[in-house]
Amino acid sequence: MASAIPPLRVLCETSASSAYKTSFSPAPQSSPVPRPLHTLARFADGRYIDRPACDAAFTRMHRRDRVGDRLHLAFACLGLFLLAGPVTVTELAFAPLLVFFFVRVVNTGPLWVHAFGQPLILAALALMAWMLVTLAWSPDRANGLDEIGRLRWLVLGALIYPAIGHRRALTLALALGLIVGGIAQLLSGLDALRPPFETRAPGRITGWWNPVIAGSIQCAALGLFLPGAIRGVGRERWIGVLGLAIALAGLLASGTRGAWIAGAILLAVGVPLILRGSGRGGGGAWRAAVGIGVGAVLLLAVVAFVQRDGLAYRVQEARAELAAAADGDLDTWTGARVAVMGFAIESGLRHPWGLGAGGLRASVERQLGPDHPAALPHAHSAPLHLFATLGWPGLCLGVLVAWIALRHARRDQPPDPRRALEAGLPYAIAGLLLAGLFDAVHINTQTCAMLGALAALSPAYRPEREPTAEVSG
């Protein structure tokens, strides 16, 4: 029993050590308060999503409805393929998938909780909710309701989510649709193949798209095909090269000067990032990048030669309008955009809660008169339009939606070069957002639909493996 009592020297040393730690060691912090940005990042990453429950919901769906899985994938691919079509086709592209959503809701019920609970969808719903609130003081509520309706595309991911295990096929369908749309745009430069509903603007070849929309869509296509062209292998490389060539030609032919700037920024930032991500074995990627660069220069030279009159007109028009705007003459296309952007900034600063959804043009007409150059449907800039109509809350929510979309897509890039098209999703989103600096992409049907589709393919959480026959059976 005496041996169980520690010697006096040991007790003294232990007591002294404890006293030292108590006196000079910092007190442990039991539960630090989460920082706002840290909490926001956790929300953006979807940390609250119950992964095992989500996997169980997918497994239940596969076991109960194997035929429904195949039909859901087919309808989702059809919608993504048709998304880059004329505006009427875009509006109806996902109608079959929407109907099928209600047909199989019994077999997929638990999964919808996780589908609609994705961070981007929740942020988009919050933005729409704030827009509804601002209708209380909007001078044009009808237009505000229309703008809210355009944002429905941001919840498209909930419809696609049951098929997200087949992301490679879904991305391929979207890529093929963009290629077809780009070919149609370039062929519309021939009068014999010009779509009967096209409104041809001087110096611009746009196919079935509006000229500004054509430029924005091609910025997204440019980003989507860029990784495949540089570091893809096999089919992914060929699709990437073809799509990139069509996107570059279509971007230049569109004559959309804001999209030209956005595309140049995307290439300047995107190519180094893709090469950096290729790692040590990226020698082939470097050679591909050099080859694509030379080919791109030659391709753009050919397009510029064929479209030389139109491009010269657009450049000369820009110079003349900028010079006029510098002299105070805003009665031009460029001058009107400068005017409406300035009005948007001033309105956002004066009205922290915004003018109200849809109220930009009505406010311009009320304050400056209906004939003022700034009396345009939108601010020709997504962030400025959000700032003017929805104030600081709307701008912050819009930035949150964009940040979540980019964050998810960037973190979910597959390293496999055989899936390089999927690696193009963050660059496609970035291209569309850059184009949004010069156009209100969130309230234009086709560009908002494209943004919603790109974001839908990169949710916060998706199964790591595609469903197999054993799971589905």
Side-chain angles (χ1 to χ4, degrees):
M1 183 173 179
S3 61
I5 301 176
L8 181 60
R9 181 176 56 83
V10 175
L11 288 174
C12 292
E13 290 177 354
T14 304
S15 301
S17 176
S18 301
Y20 176 84
K21 291 180 180 178
T22 302
S23 302
F24 299 98
S25 299
Q29 298 180 0
S30 56
S31 56
V33 178
R35 293 171 296 178
L37 292 180
H38 179 67
T39 302
L40 192 61
R42 289 178 62 86
F43 165 76
D45 292 339
R47 301 287 181 88
Y48 56 87
I49 297 175
D50 189 339
R51 267 67 170 169
C54 188
D55 291 340
F58 270 106
T59 302
R60 175 184 180 273
M61 178 186 69
H62 299 326
R63 287 176 176 170
R64 290 172 62 103
D65 195 12
R66 180 173 56 185
V67 175
D69 280 347
R70 296 172 181 172
L71 290 175
H72 202 114
L73 175 62
F75 289 141
C77 287
L78 176 65
L80 290 167
F81 176 77
L82 296 176
L83 198 68
V87 64
T88 303
V89 174
T90 300
E91 291 278 10
L92 299 175
F94 288 96
L97 183 60
L98 180 61
V99 173
F100 195 60
F101 163 82
F102 293 103
V103 169
R104 72 183 309 220
V105 70
V106 174
N107 292 325
T108 58
L111 189 59
W112 299 119
V113 176
H114 307 285
F116 283 99
Q118 295 293 316
L120 184 131
I121 292 180
L122 295 179
L125 292 174
L127 176 59
M128 296 168 72
W130 174 245
M131 294 178 75
L132 283 171
V133 171
T134 65
L135 289 179
W137 58 84
S138 173
D140 191 346
R141 295 180 181 177
N143 190 37
L145 288 172
D146 183 61
E147 289 188 1
I148 295 172
R150 303 290 177 88
L151 294 186
R152 71 189 183 278
W153 293 105
L154 296 180
V155 300
L156 180 62
L159 296 183
I160 295 177
Y161 195 61
I164 196 63
H166 300 279
R167 191 173 73 157
R168 187 179 189 183
L170 295 170
T171 308
L172 178 61
L174 179 63
L176 293 178
L178 285 169
I179 288 176
V180 171
I183 292 175
Q185 176 194 351
L186 296 176
L187 290 180
S188 71
L190 305 175
D191 290 334
L193 298 177
R194 177 181 174 184
F197 46 81
E198 182 195 27
T199 302
R200 178 71 61 83
R204 313 178 83 166
I205 297 175
T206 61
W208 53 52
W209 292 314
N210 170 280
V212 176
I213 298 237
S216 299
I217 292 292
Q218 293 298 10
C219 280
L222 192 68
L224 183 65
F225 293 114
L226 195 58
I230 292 178
R231 67 178 186 86
V233 295
R235 182 186 68 180
E236 303 277 322
R237 167 66 61 82
W238 289 110
I239 293 176
V241 170
L242 175 63
L244 184 63
I246 293 173
L248 282 170
L251 181 61
L252 185 62
S254 72
T256 305
R257 294 166 299 210
W260 291 351
I261 298 173
I265 296 173
L266 179 63
L267 290 174
V269 176
V271 172
L273 286 176
I274 294 170
L275 291 174
R276 180 182 178 184
S278 300
R280 295 181 178 179
W286 279 94
R287 290 190 294 271
V290 172
I292 290 170
V294 173
V297 171
L298 294 175
L299 173 66
L300 294 177
V302 171
V303 175
F305 176 78
V306 174
Q307 187 66 1
R308 58 188 180 278
D309 294 335
L311 295 178
Y313 173 82
R314 293 294 291 164
V315 173
Q316 292 172 3
E317 182 185 46
R319 289 178 177 175
E321 291 181 354
L322 287 173
D327 294 335
D329 180 10
L330 301 179
D331 197 15
T332 61
W333 282 109
T334 302
R337 293 186 181 187
V338 171
V340 74
M341 288 179 178
F343 182 85
I345 295 173
E346 183 180 356
S347 299
L349 294 175
R350 287 187 176 183
H351 305 277
W353 307 115
L355 298 169
L360 181 64
R361 185 168 191 166
S363 297
V364 173
E365 293 178 349
R366 184 175 59 188
Q367 298 181 35
L368 304 177
D371 297 329
H372 194 274
L376 299 176
H378 53 75
H380 281 278
S381 171
L384 292 185
H385 190 83
L386 288 169
F387 187 44
T389 58
L390 306 178
W392 290 105
L395 178 61
C396 292
L397 287 171
V399 171
L400 178 62
V401 169
W403 177 59
I404 290 175
L406 271 175
R407 184 179 178 89
H408 290 174
R410 181 66 179 166
R411 291 163 65 97
D412 199 20
Q413 289 186 90
D416 189 351
R418 293 171 296 181
R419 308 189 71 155
L421 275 179
E422 295 173 71
L425 291 172
Y427 299 97
I429 294 173
L432 201 52
L433 293 178
L434 287 170
L437 297 176
F438 309 96
D439 185 37
V441 295
H442 66 294
I443 57 173
N444 290 329
T445 296
Q446 290 164 297
T447 51
C448 190
M450 184 60 63
L451 179 59
L454 292 169
L457 296 177
S458 296
Y461 175 73
R462 63 186 180 89
E464 294 184 0
R465 293 184 298 176
E466 295 183 359
T468 60
E470 291 77 16
V471 174
S472 301

